[in-house]
Amino acid sequence: MKAQRKNRKLRIAMLGHKRVPSREGGVEIVVGELSERMAKLGHDVTCYNRRGHHVSGEEFDSEFLSKYNGVRINSVFTVQKGGLAAVSSSVFAAIKAAFGRYDVVHFHAEGPCAMLWLPKLFGKRCIATIHGLDHQRAKWGRFASWYIRFGEKCAVKFADEIIVLSENVRRYFKETYNRETVFIPNGVNPAQKKEAKEIAAKFNLSKDDYILFLGRLVPEKGLERLIEAYKNVKTDKKLVIAGGSSDTAEFESKLRAASADNPNIIFTGFVQGRLLEELFSNAYFYVLPSDVEGMPLSLLEAMSYGNCCLTSDIPECASVIGEYGCVFDRSKHDDLAEKMQNLCDNPETVSAFRQNSAAYICGRYNWNDVVLKTLELYGCKNDVQAKEELNESSAHK
């Protein structure tokens, strides 16, 4: 069957994300980048979107699309109550994919993989991308954690190939299940810097006068640690926390309460478009104090804008920045505050990291390479013409 696929276009289904196009999380960005590029190469790609509201608020809801940049969009029934949105949408998407005329069904994230066996039963080639060890994330209850673990085991048992985003997760699957996986990291697009116009009008921010965190407001991102550390830093630079709550409104309220006594801590809410670009473009440095990550796209994007970046020392962050950023030791209580203070006191250090970060990250992590490697796992021949078509398409963006 694999040989038959090499010389023809594929019918591909993707599921497990919330919706595309969207920046609700890293999974959504990955699915969007892969599906659009595969469609440009002539493959027939369908993304199974959730129905229902945007996790960061109704103001970000958009109309249901049937097609986007050559990608078919199929919105599936979703139960919005009791934390069942992810489970219900992936169940109904898997049923549709199983009965659909697809060559490949690509599951994203561990939880949705609980249904991977169904399209496999119907003869589909099934690929799973593990975006992180989701059962380690603090926001899940007992049932959700069990379900995610079950999805992980289904991926191990039934997936034709498993893609992982870090060597750390690759070791986990080998040591835990003796299952081989394929390491294909995320990509990043070269960035164009924007002047501080909208962020100046909306948040009174100017170039280099703030430290930026951008991501989902969830416990595993280390935001409580960040707020505590910032309060111990002597600086007139503001701390900007940009991102939506992602089903964790109570946690966001807790963060806001902890910051209420400091007017220099600014919560922007969910941002996208020009606001997001300006925030990345004008930060003094970017900070990501996470305890758990898959492969943080926000870090790749921050570096693509030429930012100095400070991250926790977890392998998924440290391996991305290499020698082109700073890490703090999570085992040392005051180390984050000390590293932040050092960067605030030494602009020449920040400038030195800025000089090479964009060239390094864009040279190492390329979406076109990610697409070609993924298609090869699907069973497509990795040919020169496809690479040229993708590169030409990217050049005209």
Side-chain angles (χ1 to χ4, degrees), residues 73-92:
I73 305 296
N74 193 326
S75 297
V76 297
F77 178 76
T78 305
V79 179
Q80 295 293 319
K81 296 181 180 180
L84 294 175
V87 174
S88 59
S89 60
S90 59
V91 167
F92 288 108

Side-chain angles (χ1 to χ4, degrees), residues 18-19 21-24 50-65 80 270 272:
K18 295 180 183 71
R19 76 204 86 227
S22 170
R23 287 192 59 94
E24 288 167 85
R50 290 187 197 177
R51 287 189 179 274
H53 294 308
H54 193 293
V55 295
S56 296
E58 292 183 11
E59 66 270 29
F60 298 104
D61 286 350
S62 58
E63 61 181 337
F64 293 124
L65 302 174
Q80 295 293 319
F270 178 79
Q272 57 188 348

Side-chain angles (χ1 to χ4, degrees), residues 199-352:
I199 61 172
K202 192 166 184 177
F203 304 114
N204 193 30
L205 297 173
S206 58
K207 185 168 179 58
D208 288 344
D209 81 333
Y210 63 93
I211 300 161
L212 176 66
F213 165 88
L214 191 145
R216 291 174 298 117
L217 306 189
V218 289
E220 66 267 19
K221 293 291 184 181
L223 288 163
E224 291 174 294
R225 177 192 297 124
L226 174 60
I227 290 169
E228 179 187 357
Y230 175 74
K231 289 181 177 181
N232 291 314
V233 175
K234 296 178 180 178
T235 181
D236 58 358
K237 298 190 185 298
K238 301 165 186 174
L239 173 63
V240 174
I241 298 176
S245 61
S246 186
D247 294 323
T248 50
E250 290 183 9
F251 181 69
E252 180 179 356
S253 298
K254 184 179 179 181
L255 294 177
R256 288 179 180 272
S259 309
D261 61 343
N262 193 322
N264 281 337
I265 301 178
I266 299 170
F267 289 83
T268 69
F270 178 79
V271 292
Q272 57 188 348
R274 173 86 190 197
L275 272 177
L276 180 143
E277 293 169 346
E278 289 188 15
L279 285 171
F280 273 136
S281 297
N282 297 283
Y284 180 63
F285 67 83
Y286 175 82
V287 59
L288 184 64
S290 296
D291 293 311
V292 180
E293 287 287 352
M295 185 181 189
L297 277 165
S298 61
L299 177 57
L300 271 66
E301 290 180 323
M303 294 186 75
S304 76
Y305 279 87
N307 278 298
C308 168
C309 295
L310 170 63
T311 78
S312 59
D313 59 355
I314 63 173
E316 290 80 2
C317 289
S319 63
V320 169
I321 62 175
E323 299 177 357
Y324 297 87
C326 307
V327 298
F328 71 91
D329 188 339
R330 288 181 305 141
S331 69
K332 297 180 180 177
H333 178 72
D334 297 326
D335 200 43
L336 175 56
E338 290 176 7
K339 291 295 197 309
M340 292 174 70
Q341 187 71 65
N342 182 60
L343 292 175
C344 287
D345 293 344
N346 296 282
E348 67 278 5
T349 301
V350 173
S351 179

Side-chain angles (χ1 to χ4, degrees), residues 107-166:
F107 286 74
H108 291 267
E110 289 186 319
C113 288
M115 292 298 295
L116 191 146
W117 59 272
L118 183 58
K120 183 66 179 175
L121 186 66
F122 281 77
K124 309 297 194 287
R125 182 168 176 79
C126 292
I127 309 296
T129 293
I130 306 301
H131 290 261
L133 300 176
D134 290 339
H135 58 267
Q136 296 179 352
R137 301 185 190 277
K139 68 177 182 176
W140 303 118
R142 182 176 297 178
F143 171 75
S145 295
W146 172 84
Y147 188 80
I148 289 167
R149 281 275 198 181
F150 177 67
E152 179 178 289
K153 292 174 182 176
C154 284
V156 168
K157 186 173 182 179
F158 298 109
D160 291 285
E161 298 284 358
I162 297 176
I163 297 170
V164 295
L165 307 182
S166 72

